[in-house]
Amino acid sequence: MNEKYIYIYNNSFLSLLNLIQTLFKNKIVPQNIKPQDYSPSLFDKIVNLDIKEDEQVIEDIINYLSSNILNTLYYVYLSSNEHKELIIYYFWGHSLKYKNKIFYMRNLKSVNAALKISKYVSRENHRLKGFLRFKELSNRILYAEIAPENNIIFLLSKHFRKRLNNEYWMIKDVKRNIYCLYDKKDCFFVDGQNFEIGPKQWSMDENNIQSLWKTFYKTIGISQRKNKRCQMNFMPKKYWKYIIEMSEDDEESYN
Amino acid sequence: MFTINNLLDIMVLVIFMNMQEKLTILADSAKYDASCSSSGSALKRHGDIGNTAYSGICHSFASDGRCISLLKILMTNCCIFDCKYCLNRKSNNIKRALFTPEEICEITINFYRRNYIEGLFLSSGIIKSPDYTMNLMIETISLLRHKYKFGGYIHAKAIPGASTYLLNKLGNLVDRLSANIELPTENGLKLLAPNKDTNKITKIMEYIKENKSQTFVPAGQSTQMIIGATKETDYEIMKRSSEMYHNYSLKRVFYSAYIPVNKDNLLPSLNLPPLKRENRLYQADWLMRFYHFKVNDLLNADNPNFNLLLDPKADWALRHLEEFPKEINTCSYNDLLKIPGIGVTSAKRIISSRKYFKISFNDLQKMGIVLKRAKYFIVCDGKYFVNNLCFNRSFIESNLVLEDNLLTSLKGEQLSLF
């Protein structure tokens, strides 16, 4: 079999693992691997193996991949990198040979790429632990919007589950239209297509607290040390829209 | 002159000032404290709201590029002391304010729920007496912990001269407790802060060190020195901080470039705070804590100040060129750490990778190791990055300085370490 094909998986991490496992088993080297909803170009040769979701197979995979390799694969999967599936395929392939030593084999292109991407995802997750801003709705539920580069809402929710475990809160990923809802016990992830919240009514205090925070923010900077570049290095502009103390910052002073 | 010595005056302030105004005054007075870290606490408190993150979390960055992680405020900016460099000194005619314990708790909880902050950093001017002030701070933090059931990070400043039993009480409520040494030498302190004395400050550090446990000041203590207000050399400053790291197991010493807020004959008049110098001190501080450098490696009596053009490690390496170039594939971990541009992460990465393959310049690049400065000081498998003849002091020094200045002029401003 000389010709290479694009293989299709079912838009989930487990389905991707299942597919790659099957490719390894049959010694197939794919031209690419893509999710179901990808739009192929004219010359793409697509194969959908339609693999049955077999829990046993997935359990086997999870058992024989060490937890930090599996973790790396998962983080790469959550990234927005357009070649992430192939990177996962090759990283996994190398890991069969090198086992846990794989983390030192940065001279291999796919290994270096995978480690870089997974670091990037975990860094963005860490950043948003700080940059996310809740607003209080009139029923005391906390509501936040984020628009991260990578699909980190699953990782991020773990943090807030521990931190605000005695509050009702929801986080919306505006880019992917996913909600995470927390009811003081569990997190639920809901697609925005099946879930709608009406016009949002903020609590009585909300405005007041926001303006106190903005006052604090403005006051705490030392004017003699002003350093916009340093500020922007640490807090890139792409996040500003949802950071309340930055969102209204007049653009002119930066340009 | 507007000074406040009795509680009645303060009560009047409490009633007639709105929160916006109070917050402005009391955050403005607190902003010169450099510390904002929220890391290092592994204690799991049983609160209703909040926890601490061991790695610390930055929530925002102020216009000066410094991280905002804690709600940094003074309980009050009224003070019976008259330290020359301090905005809140008794003899300054400025607006004074005071937060009640409830007000501090309400703001903290409201900010925390909205994820603006990691916790509270509470300091205070001294009203009536050190003990009286400490008691008020304890009341505030105790309310926050017990009534509001706050489990997040709290950093409190100890008041020099307060009783030991109060230190003990406060230390059990907070994650970090600290006292600022303020100036690098005792003479400096005598000159500029006549009401403070070094002994009172070191006594606090001593006490915290002796009693530190998983529940008492779990994130350890830190301190701060003002740089450039008095005449100390970098050598004296670094000796002092190395001594303090050693004697009191400090987590951090912060260096704060002196910013003139008061006019006084005893104070220098500066146009700009010595930020570059502050930056060099932080770099040297890192070299001491993580790179096994000693103060005497970097500075000595003949050469008591850092080179402002070159970072301390590159400067050291240029003075010890006989130790270089180092072979990446064989030199020890400690030797790797001595190479300018190679940090702890890079050194570890090199050590673990070279077991499996011989590292070339190309590999270093792929491994994500920044070669900008390192390339001048290393060989990979015997090869230098350019002609071997170029390995001499003037070639390397001019290139390093040139690249740095080019970078600075491109960026327009210097970077700070926060």
Side-chain angles (χ1 to χ4, degrees):
Chain A
M1 207 160 62
N2 281 328
E3 213 163 359
K4 287 187 175 177
Y5 297 94
I6 294 173
Y7 291 83
I8 298 295
Y9 69 101
N10 192 2
N11 291 356
S12 82
F13 181 55
L14 293 181
S15 142
L16 175 65
L17 290 185
N18 219 337
L19 169 64
I20 296 181
Q21 170 80 340
T22 312
L23 295 180
F24 283 149
K25 228 189 242 164
N26 298 301
K27 300 207 162 81
I28 300 170
V29 180
Q31 188 204 351
N32 211 337
I33 303 170
K34 287 283 166 196
Q36 230 163 22
D37 55 7
Y38 117 100
S39 37
S41 73
L42 199 57
F43 304 104
D44 285 356
K45 298 193 186 89
I46 295 171
V47 178
N48 194 340
L49 294 178
D50 236 344
I51 303 159
K52 264 206 206 101
E53 300 270 331
D54 187 342
E55 277 184 27
Q56 190 52 46
V57 176
I58 285 169
E59 216 166 280
D60 286 348
I61 296 173
I62 291 172
N63 284 336
Y64 88 74
L65 282 178
S66 78
S67 66
N68 41 4
I69 291 176
L70 191 64
N71 225 11
T72 309
L73 297 183
Y74 182 55
Y75 274 53
V76 175
Y77 172 75
L78 295 179
S79 81
S80 53
N81 190 293
E82 58 173 322
H83 307 297
K84 62 184 183 184
E85 291 89 356
L86 273 188
I87 293 170
I88 290 173
Y89 173 88
Y90 283 108
F91 183 82
W92 185 354
H94 285 305
S95 82
L96 298 176
K97 181 173 163 201
Y98 295 109
K99 305 285 180 227
N100 259 334
K101 285 176 203 152
I102 183 100
F103 293 100
Y104 309 126
M105 307 307 287
R106 279 182 184 259
N107 55 340
L108 302 171
K109 218 170 140 193
S110 58
V111 174
N112 192 36
L115 294 180
K116 249 191 195 157
I117 294 166
S118 84
K119 179 95 190 264
Y120 175 51
V121 172
S122 100
R123 225 179 114 191
E124 185 171 45
N125 178 40
H126 183 80
R127 270 182 164 163
L128 277 169
K129 285 179 192 171
F131 296 160
L132 177 142
R133 297 283 178 268
F134 284 112
K135 294 178 184 172
E136 192 187 53
L137 294 165
S138 54
N139 48 14
R140 269 188 74 81
I141 294 176
L142 296 168
Y143 175 83
E145 289 182 350
I146 53 172
E149 296 285 309
N150 305 297
N151 191 7
I152 53 163
I153 196 167
F154 310 102
L155 306 173
L156 198 60
S157 63
K158 280 192 212 158
H159 170 77
F160 286 105
R161 244 177 112 158
K162 282 192 212 127
R163 171 152 296 192
L164 299 174
N165 78 322
N166 218 3
E167 302 269 359
Y168 294 103
W169 49 257
M170 53 176 123
I171 300 172
K172 180 184 186 185
D173 181 334
V174 181
K175 259 191 190 164
R176 293 165 189 83
N177 201 14
I178 305 173
Y179 288 84
C180 172
L181 314 173
Y182 177 73
D183 68 350
K184 296 195 183 185
K185 252 167 73 198
D186 293 301
C187 279
F188 302 92
F189 296 94
V190 193
D191 194 312
Q193 286 173 342
N194 315 317
F195 180 78
E196 193 72 49
I197 37 176
K200 288 180 261 322
Q201 189 131 56
W202 307 118
S203 74
M204 300 262 282
D205 270 355
E206 185 53 31
N207 241 325
N208 184 29
I209 303 284
Q210 282 187 25
S211 88
L212 274 176
W213 171 243
K214 286 178 198 161
T215 300
F216 175 78
Y217 178 80
K218 279 197 197 102
T219 312
I220 208 74
I222 299 178
S223 57
Q224 293 95 326
R225 302 183 60 117
K226 197 167 171 160
N227 193 341
K228 284 284 164 199
R229 178 161 297 276
C230 183
Q231 179 193 31
M232 269 203 271
N233 273 344
F234 286 117
M235 189 161 61
K237 227 170 174 177
K238 61 183 174 191
Y239 298 117
W240 286 12
K241 189 174 170 199
Y242 299 99
I243 300 177
I244 61 159
E245 67 271 26
M246 304 310 292
S247 52
E248 290 162 25
D249 215 293
D250 49 326
E251 291 280 316
E252 300 100 70
S253 69
Y254 291 93
N255 299 329
Chain B
M1 187 171 295
F2 192 62
T3 54
I4 289 160
N5 289 315
N6 68 61
L7 273 181
L8 204 73
D9 291 347
I10 295 172
M11 291 313 290
V12 172
L13 286 178
V14 173
I15 295 164
F16 289 108
M17 208 179 262
N18 73 28
M19 284 296 277
Q20 291 282 358
E21 194 173 354
K22 270 194 210 182
L23 188 62
T24 309
I25 295 171
L26 294 170
D28 192 57
S29 299
K31 73 184 174 192
Y32 298 102
D33 208 300
S35 161
C36 196
S37 53
S38 56
S39 57
S41 190
L43 180 59
K44 300 236 178 322
R45 288 199 169 79
H46 300 285
D48 267 4
I49 172 166
N51 59 359
T52 54
Y54 191 75
S55 59
I57 295 172
C58 295
H59 285 253
S60 192
F61 289 86
S63 55
D64 52 19
R66 299 194 301 170
C67 146
I68 300 174
S69 132
L70 304 172
L71 171 63
K72 197 190 292 180
I73 47 170
L74 298 190
M75 186 173 71
T76 177
N77 64 339
C78 304
C79 195
I80 56 173
F81 281 8
D82 201 33
C83 307
K84 300 285 180 260
Y85 53 83
C86 180
L87 183 64
N88 306 313
R89 63 179 179 179
K90 190 168 75 179
S91 55
N92 271 5
N93 187 3
I94 54 166
K95 264 196 181 174
R96 308 277 172 170
L98 174 119
F99 273 133
T100 65
E102 281 80 9
E103 286 172 337
I104 294 178
C105 294
E106 284 291 332
I107 305 192
T108 307
I109 294 290
N110 270 312
F111 280 8
Y112 194 86
R113 286 182 70 225
R114 288 165 176 78
N115 203 40
Y116 300 166
I117 52 170
E118 222 21 48
L120 175 67
F121 180 140
L122 190 63
S123 178
S124 183
I126 300 169
I127 31 172
K128 273 177 102 172
S129 70
D131 272 7
Y132 183 83
T133 313
M134 273 283 262
N135 257 319
L136 263 180
M137 290 174 74
I138 291 170
E139 192 190 323
T140 305
I141 292 173
S142 167
L143 196 70
L144 189 56
R145 285 284 191 228
H146 299 127
K147 187 175 161 214
Y148 289 82
K149 304 226 180 290
F150 179 66
Y153 194 95
I154 301 180
H155 177 170
K157 280 271 163 223
I159 306 293
S163 311
T164 312
Y165 78 98
L166 293 175
L167 272 182
N168 182 43
K169 240 176 160 175
L170 188 55
N172 278 304
L173 292 167
V174 299
D175 296 278
R176 174 167 285 184
L177 185 60
S178 63
N180 283 352
I181 193 83
E182 308 290 10
L183 293 156
T185 58
E186 207 170 336
N187 285 338
L189 199 69
K190 259 190 205 139
L191 186 70
L192 297 187
N195 305 95
K196 289 187 180 169
D197 80 68
T198 314
N199 279 338
K200 278 185 186 156
I201 298 162
T202 50
K203 225 179 87 188
I204 297 173
M205 294 181 173
E206 188 77 50
Y207 183 83
I208 297 172
K209 185 200 166 191
E210 295 297 318
N211 292 280
K212 186 183 180 305
S213 72
Q214 277 175 341
T215 53
F216 183 87
V217 195
Q221 57 173 333
S222 60
T223 195
Q224 169 173 319
M225 283 191 247
I226 301 165
I227 303 306
T230 42
K231 292 196 176 66
E232 288 88 358
T233 60
D234 291 346
Y235 186 44
E236 283 170 287
I237 294 168
M238 290 320 292
K239 267 201 302 198
R240 181 75 173 130
S241 69
S242 131
E243 212 174 272
M244 285 195 299
Y245 276 123
H246 185 251
N247 293 347
Y248 309 114
S249 334
L250 295 181
K251 282 268 151 65
R252 286 287 299 273
V253 174
F254 291 94
Y255 308 90
S256 170
Y258 168 67
I259 294 169
V261 288
N262 300 325
K263 280 219 163 69
D264 199 299
N265 292 337
L266 293 171
L267 293 170
S269 56
L270 301 171
N271 291 327
L272 284 169
L275 292 177
K276 194 79 220 171
R277 184 173 180 208
E278 179 192 283
N279 183 224
R280 291 289 178 249
L281 287 164
Y282 274 113
Q283 289 173 322
D285 186 271
W286 247 258
L287 291 180
M288 279 195 327
R289 287 187 297 141
F290 304 114
Y291 295 81
H292 313 294
F293 276 89
K294 301 263 181 318
V295 183
N296 289 319
D297 295 337
L298 302 169
L299 295 169
N300 52 51
D302 298 328
N303 180 21
N305 288 307
F306 289 114
N307 183 345
L308 290 181
L309 287 176
L310 275 174
D311 67 273
K313 205 185 191 185
D315 193 53
W316 173 86
L318 282 171
R319 282 185 281 117
H320 294 81
L321 267 192
E322 71 281 358
E323 292 193 25
F324 296 93
K326 293 190 190 290
E327 170 60 59
I328 285 292
N329 284 292
T330 52
C331 79
S332 70
Y333 176 71
N334 281 348
D335 276 353
L336 283 173
L337 285 183
K338 300 228 145 122
I339 301 169
I342 302 267
V344 173
T345 316
S346 301
K348 284 186 177 150
R349 218 174 256 178
I350 291 169
I351 292 278
S352 45
S353 293
R354 72 187 185 190
K355 285 185 220 154
Y356 306 108
F357 58 91
K358 197 164 251 173
I359 298 174
S360 68
F361 270 103
N362 214 345
D363 292 328
L364 284 176
Q365 232 149 18
K366 277 193 216 150
M367 289 158 69
I369 286 160
V370 184
L371 290 174
K372 202 186 123 223
R373 354 203 84 217
K375 63 176 183 278
Y376 298 105
F377 298 95
I378 56 172
V379 283
C380 293
D381 201 14
K383 285 192 195 73
Y384 194 51
F385 82 106
V386 284
N387 190 330
N388 283 359
L389 292 173
C390 291
F391 184 80
N392 61 59
R393 182 166 175 160
S394 62
F395 170 74
I396 299 173
E397 187 164 3
S398 53
N399 272 305
L400 285 177
V401 173
L402 207 70
E403 273 176 27
D404 265 12
N405 289 341
L406 212 69
L407 201 73
T408 319
S409 66
L410 278 178
K411 289 188 172 177
E413 288 159 71
Q414 61 165 328
L415 293 171
S416 119
L417 238 152
F418 288 98

